Every structure is written in structure tokens, then in C-alpha cells.
Amino acid sequence: MIPELRFGALTIPTHDFFVVLGVVVASVVFVLEARRRGALREESLFAVAGALVGGAIGMRVSGWAEHLDPALNPTLLEAWMFGSRSVLGGLTGAYAGVLIAKRLIGYREKTGDLFAPAVALGMAVGRIGCFLTEAPGRPTELPWGIRAPASVPECLGCLTGQPMHPSFLYEIVFQLAMFGALVWARGRVSRPGELFTLYVAAYAGFRFLVEFTRANETVWLDLTRPQWFLLPGLVLVAIRLTYGYRRGFYDRLPAVGSLGRGPARRDPDGGTFREEAAGGTVGDHTDDSVTIRQESK
């Protein structure tokens, strides 16, 4: 709807402006979070560089293998020059870039918790550019449906004047809510890296569902390419969340902790032991996820 932004005599593509602004915002949040955790050092900044390079490559070349017939796919150079700029491709590339960068310098500490709130807020900013320049979503009769000019690229609803889902606004609201939730939860997750796991799981589930309101082409069984890309990932994150839940990684999160208390059990001498969520009262035996307390016989 607003393809270009003008700053005096300077004209900048709207989408690119907000993508760059989102990267800047994410970088600032990362630095602040790393400083708060005492993790702001050369190795963590090298991980950021890996994320930026990997994200740029993933975003541009994610549509390279779009068709099963290789003859229909662009060359790598064409994909780089005119790529789809997929957010999912960018996130996947950024994740791979961080892993490669850390492997190159032999850095073994987990950095996911530093990235999680940064990515959420950066995504919220970047999606403003998508909302202002891309097809909003599928037609809807809901009262908040929006209409857009027929000049919006690849937008059938725009041509007919139909109200459409503001799908990118849905994602902006989701990412802002996730940023707030991650900031709140960062002191309540007992194991390093799990904050990022929770974010990835939440975004994968949200993105799969919001695709039903997006204007993307369906390719098989009425699902879009992003949904088919996400399906195996949803299975993996479900397994990963189950693993973390069973080991008490999320017991200090109220909604999970209320379900995570193990049943009381007795010791050989007749005393009763009870499992409590991490952060419970002090006992003789403590590990990362469980505190054991002996009650009176």
C-alpha cells in the first residue's frame, strides 16, 4: 500500500527499510540482554554476525528449490538477486549461521536465550514493512477486514475490493506479545537455551495457523508451502517440549509448574519424599529441575 518511503530527496523501499530497522532493533535488544546476563563478549558478537550472514542468505535463496522439477527453479544467482525474502528461510539461515559461527571459534555456550526476545521484537518491526507492501490476506467477513489498493502486488482481493484478513497485523501483535512473555519468563526457565525453544515452538504453531489467513498459494491438501515446511518442525518441537517438560525445565512457569509436581513417594525408612518445582524450599538433594524434601515421619 505504501511501496516507498520518502525522507526529503531520499526514496527508500518500504519493505527493505523496515527489514533493516528490525535487524537494528533486534541487535540492540541482543546487546542489552547479553549485557544484563554478563555474556557480552567477542564470542557472542561473533554469533550475531553468523546470524546476520546466515539470515541474509536463507532469506534470499529459500525459494531456490520451490518446484520439484529442477528446470522450473531459478539459478542460485537468480534466487539471490530476486529471491522471495522468506521470513522462515531467514530464520532457518540465521539459526544455521549461529551454529556455524560458534563451531568455527569453538564457542560452546548456549546463546538462544539472548536471541529469543531480540528476534521477537525485530520480527514485529520487520512485519510492518510486509503489512505496508504485500497482499494482506485471504478474504474475510470479519469486522476488522481491510481493503487495499489494486496496485498491491499479487493481491486478488485487492482487485475485487474485498475485505481481507490483516494477517501481518496478527503477526505483529503475536510477536509483541511473545517479546513481553519472553522478558517475563527469562528468569523462570531453569535451563539455558530453553527460552529460545519456547519461542520457536510458539512461533511455529502460530505461523502454521496464521497461514490459513495469508494470501499465499496452496499447493497440496489446501496447505501452503510454509505450512508444509513447518509440519516436520512442529513434530520436532513437540518432541523437544515433551523432553523439557518431563525433566522439569519449565516447572517455574506457573501454568506448567502447577501441573509438574510429582506425586509424593515414600523412602525405605518410612519418611515421605515429595518432588517440588525448581526454586522450591531447600533440601539435601538438589539438581537442575527437582528439589527433594523429606517430610516428618
Side-chain angles (χ1 to χ4, degrees):
M1 294 178 279
I2 306 177
E4 294 179 336
L5 298 174
R6 295 184 180 276
F7 300 93
L10 181 64
T11 300
I12 302 176
T14 301
H15 187 277
D16 294 347
F17 172 82
F18 281 101
V19 167
V20 173
L21 182 60
V23 171
V24 171
V25 168
S27 299
V28 170
V29 173
F30 179 93
V31 169
L32 292 176
E33 183 65 9
R35 180 177 296 170
R36 188 188 72 85
R37 292 172 178 262
L40 185 59
R41 42 185 176 269
E42 183 179 350
E43 292 86 353
S44 59
L45 296 179
F46 198 80
V48 173
L52 293 175
V53 173
I57 295 173
M59 182 177 290
R60 283 292 184 178
V61 304
S62 57
W64 171 57
E66 182 176 348
H67 303 283
L68 295 177
D69 182 358
L72 299 177
N73 292 319
T75 64
L76 281 175
L77 179 60
E78 291 172 335
W80 175 258
M81 295 295 296
F82 312 106
S84 59
R85 294 181 294 183
S86 163
V87 166
L88 290 178
L91 289 176
T92 303
Y95 181 73
V98 171
L99 294 181
I100 293 172
K102 289 167 65 175
R103 178 63 62 88
L104 288 175
I105 62 174
Y107 188 51
R108 298 185 178 277
E109 293 188 25
K110 293 184 179 295
T111 55
D113 291 349
L114 305 178
F115 279 104
V119 171
L121 191 57
M123 287 275 286
V125 174
R127 280 306 195 188
I128 298 174
C130 298
F131 174 68
L132 294 177
T133 59
E134 298 183 25
R138 299 182 187 182
T140 180
E141 297 299 327
L142 294 172
W144 55 78
I146 61 173
R147 292 177 170 85
S151 58
V152 177
E154 300 179 8
C155 178
L156 296 178
C158 300
L159 295 174
T160 60
Q162 293 177 290
M164 295 166 288
H165 282 285
S167 61
F168 294 114
L169 289 185
Y170 297 159
E171 183 160 350
I172 291 171
V173 171
F174 168 81
Q175 297 291 356
L176 290 174
M178 280 303 304
F179 173 73
L182 291 167
V183 170
W184 171 83
R186 61 190 178 185
R188 295 173 170 84
V189 177
S190 63
R191 188 178 179 87
E194 293 304 310
L195 201 66
F196 185 74
T197 299
L198 292 173
Y199 172 71
V200 169
Y203 182 60
F206 167 82
R207 181 58 191 273
F208 184 87
L209 293 176
V210 83
E211 275 294 308
F212 289 110
T213 71
R214 295 279 300 272
N216 290 329
E217 175 191 9
T218 57
V219 291
W220 191 42
L221 298 180
D222 207 30
L223 298 179
T224 66
R225 286 186 177 87
Q227 286 175 313
W228 283 110
F229 176 82
L230 286 165
L231 274 176
L234 286 170
V235 174
L236 292 176
V237 295
I239 295 172
R240 183 62 182 77
L241 287 176
T242 301
Y243 172 87
Y245 173 77
R246 289 179 175 176
R247 281 154 182 79
F249 297 164
Y250 318 126
D251 281 354
R252 292 178 64 190
L253 298 176
V256 179
S258 61
L259 300 175
R261 293 181 182 273
R265 52 190 173 88
R266 305 190 67 83
D267 76 321
D269 297 326
T272 300
F273 287 83
R274 185 177 301 276
E275 294 183 356
E276 293 186 349
T281 53
V282 178
D284 291 333
H285 173 73
T286 304
D287 61 17
D288 289 338
S289 59
V290 177
T291 300
I292 305 296
R293 182 180 64 189
Q294 185 171 14
E295 298 178 346
S296 59
K297 297 181 181 179

